[in-house]
């Protein structure tokens, strides 16, 4: 059956057996709901949409079309991983749209954080809607809505991020197979569906992506510095056992330069700020105690490998007073 709400007596999915039972049940539910019709899914590469994609591929195969919009603000390797896992390995119908220039042109010169978020959100819907209109006979829209999304929208904490926003001519019936699951259960199901570990257990990543880690007006050179320094930080945290221990970690490149010395010459370049925090619910957060020698190694790598960067800082500010992100 299609659940509207999580049954009060539903057992928490904590084992592969329970995850497999859930998958089998939902495969039947989706088949029943969709019949021989077509389904569309915006696949970001995040945990929830990836699990929905894998589940629907199992249930309805090529009746599903996934659209992956690269807004140019994704982390290093993310679009490539989406293509590798879903198109190459799972043989999904995947439409990959590289809309980088479109987003970055719209964002050029925009320095207000909320305006940046709005532009990214609106442009995303526009690109997705354009792709949806190109496809014939789609009647269903799949979404990675999860149980906390429903609870929070009922509490008025956040607008339900899904469904809302699509133009009226795109009037789809929703398919939400993980709607009654908590996040840890979605991860169990993702594991059972064979998704890669770094996709299932990845740290939270905001919808506006690296855009909020390039404070002020986004420029391509700073965006590249954020992407490359973030990749180094992630690589070092993975190698040194911190990836599974620290809740969220990333880099930020603010919009001012500082004087430094490189190869005996004055270098007036960007700086990178490292943020690494632990939290239960993201309402408050503490700063991770990163071993000093590892920190020195990361600083060395970033200043030598990331072009246009001559300085690295570590943010020791808990939340409050700082938020986790910078914008
Ligand atoms: P803050 O910065 O408010 O972040 O302490 C708390 C958590 O929310 C994430 N975050 C966002 N996620 N869209 C998102 O999808 C956003 O605009 C956004 N802003 C912050 C942030 O990464 C952290 O996990």
């Amino acid at each position: 059956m299609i659940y509207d709400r999580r049954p009060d007596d539903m057992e928490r999915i904590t084992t592969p057996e329970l995850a497999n039972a859930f998958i089998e049940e939902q495969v039947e539910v989706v088949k029943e709901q969709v019949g021989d019709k077509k389904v569309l899914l915006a696949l970001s590469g995040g945990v929830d949409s990836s699990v929905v994609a894998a589940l629907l591929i199992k249930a309805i195969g090529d009746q599903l079309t996934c659209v992956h919009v690269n807004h140019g603000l994704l982390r290093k390797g993310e679009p490539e991983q989406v293509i590798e896992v879903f198109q190459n390995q799972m043989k999904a119908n995947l439409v990959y749209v590289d809309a980088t220039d479109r987003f970055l042109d719209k964002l050029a010169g925009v320095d207000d954080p909320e305006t940046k978020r709005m532009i990214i959100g609106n442009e995303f819907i526009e690109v997705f809607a354009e792709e949806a209109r190109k496809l014939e006979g789609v009647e269903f829209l799949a979404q990675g809505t999860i149980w906390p999304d429903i609870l929070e929208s009922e509490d008025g904490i956040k607008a339900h991020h899904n469904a809302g926003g699509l133009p009226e001519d795109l009037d789809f019936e929703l398919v939400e197979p993980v709607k009654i699951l908590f996040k840890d259960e979605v991860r169990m199901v993702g594991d059972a569906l064979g998704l890669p570990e770094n996709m299932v257990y990845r740290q939270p990543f905001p919808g506006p992506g690296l855009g909020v880690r390039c404070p002020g007006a986004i420029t391509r050179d700073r965006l590249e510095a954020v992407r490359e320094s973030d990749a180094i930080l992630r690589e070092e945290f993975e190698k040194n056992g911190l990836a599974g221990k620290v809740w969220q970690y990333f880099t930020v490149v603010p919009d001012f330069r500082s004087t430094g010395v490189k190869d005996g010459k004055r270098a007036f370049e960007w700086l990178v700020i490292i943020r690494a925090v632990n939290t239960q619910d993201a309402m408050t957060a503490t700063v991770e105690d990163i071993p000093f020698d590892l920190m020195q190694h990361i600083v060395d790598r970033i200043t030598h490998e990331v072009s246009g960067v001559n300085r690295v800082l570590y943010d020791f500010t808990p939340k409050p007073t700082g938020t986790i992100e910078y914008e």
Side-chain angles (χ1 to χ4, degrees):
M1 71 185 266
I2 300 176
Y3 296 101
D4 259 344
R5 304 194 64 76
R6 184 181 175 96
D8 289 339
D9 59 353
M10 180 172 157
E11 188 178 356
R12 192 88 169 200
I13 298 174
T14 52
T15 62
E17 292 72 30
L18 289 168
N20 282 325
F22 177 84
I23 292 164
E24 270 172 40
E25 179 197 65
Q26 283 305 312
V27 162
E28 292 312 313
V29 169
V30 169
K31 279 185 179 162
E32 172 91 1
Q33 184 188 3
V34 170
D36 59 0
K37 302 291 190 311
K38 289 188 188 160
V39 182
L40 187 63
L41 168 73
L43 176 59
S44 68
V47 184
D48 305 333
S49 66
S50 296
V51 170
V52 168
L55 208 149
L56 293 192
I57 291 165
K58 193 173 166 73
I60 55 168
D62 62 7
Q63 285 164 255
L64 173 73
T65 300
C66 302
V67 177
H68 179 57
V69 177
N70 180 357
H71 53 25
L73 305 166
L74 298 171
R75 289 175 294 185
K76 189 171 180 171
E78 278 184 329
E80 292 82 0
Q81 187 181 31
V82 168
I83 292 169
E84 172 56 28
V85 171
F86 292 99
Q87 186 166 285
N88 299 350
Q89 294 175 20
M90 296 194 173
K91 310 292 175 208
N93 267 331
L94 177 74
V95 178
Y96 170 65
V97 190
D98 183 354
T100 301
D101 288 339
R102 226 173 123 158
F103 278 83
L104 295 188
D105 289 351
K106 276 246 158 87
L107 287 163
V110 180
D111 61 5
D112 175 62
E114 294 314 309
T115 311
K116 284 167 68 179
R117 275 194 173 75
M118 208 181 63
I119 290 173
I120 295 166
N122 291 345
E123 197 61 16
F124 186 90
I125 288 169
E126 211 155 290
V127 174
F128 184 71
E130 281 172 23
E131 294 305 319
R133 288 195 191 101
K134 288 182 196 165
L135 299 166
E136 302 244 313
V138 175
E139 293 188 17
F140 293 89
L141 180 71
Q143 301 196 130
T145 312
I146 66 172
W147 186 232
D149 296 333
I150 308 265
L151 295 179
E152 284 181 356
S153 61
E154 284 175 353
D155 288 347
I157 295 171
K158 70 176 178 194
H160 193 357
H161 62 292
N162 299 320
L166 273 187
E168 274 176 14
D169 64 303
L170 296 171
D171 185 21
F172 300 122
E173 187 179 322
L174 296 180
V175 178
E176 298 177 301
V178 299
K179 185 175 158 183
I180 58 167
L181 300 189
F182 287 103
K183 194 83 177 188
D184 52 297
E185 298 179 303
V186 178
R187 295 192 207 277
M188 285 298 308
V189 168
D191 251 348
L193 285 163
L195 289 173
E197 194 180 312
N198 69 351
M199 202 168 230
V200 173
Y201 291 98
R202 67 180 220 165
Q203 54 169 323
F205 186 62
L210 301 181
V212 293
R213 297 175 182 171
C214 228
I218 299 168
T219 56
R220 290 182 190 242
D221 61 338
R222 278 193 305 123
L223 187 57
E224 203 45 33
V226 177
R227 195 177 341 256
E228 291 299 322
S229 56
D230 173 74
I232 291 173
L233 185 72
R234 285 193 288 144
E235 190 186 319
E236 290 299 330
F237 269 35
E238 270 153 34
K239 254 197 240 164
N240 291 282
L242 288 170
K245 186 172 166 251
V246 184
W247 195 80
Q248 197 169 9
Y249 46 95
F250 54 87
T251 61
V252 176
V253 178
D255 55 350
F256 65 91
R257 297 172 210 248
S258 76
T259 302
V261 189
K262 270 188 181 173
D263 304 322
K265 287 200 215 83
R266 179 181 185 274
F268 190 51
E269 294 185 332
W270 304 119
L271 55 93
V272 165
I273 301 171
I274 295 176
R275 189 105 174 103
V277 295
N278 275 313
T279 178
Q280 295 288 338
D281 55 7
M283 300 299 284
T284 62
T286 55
V287 176
E288 177 67 19
D289 182 359
I290 305 176
F292 192 70
D293 53 348
L294 173 60
M295 206 48 142
Q296 282 179 310
H297 177 62
I298 293 171
V299 171
D300 188 63
R301 281 199 61 190
I302 290 176
T303 50
H304 286 87
E305 293 175 36
V306 182
S307 96
V309 171
N310 63 0
R311 202 180 279 268
V312 180
L313 313 182
Y314 187 42
D315 184 349
F316 277 100
T317 318
K319 176 180 181 177
T321 54
T323 48
I324 295 176
E325 303 287 351
Y326 271 53
E327 287 193 328

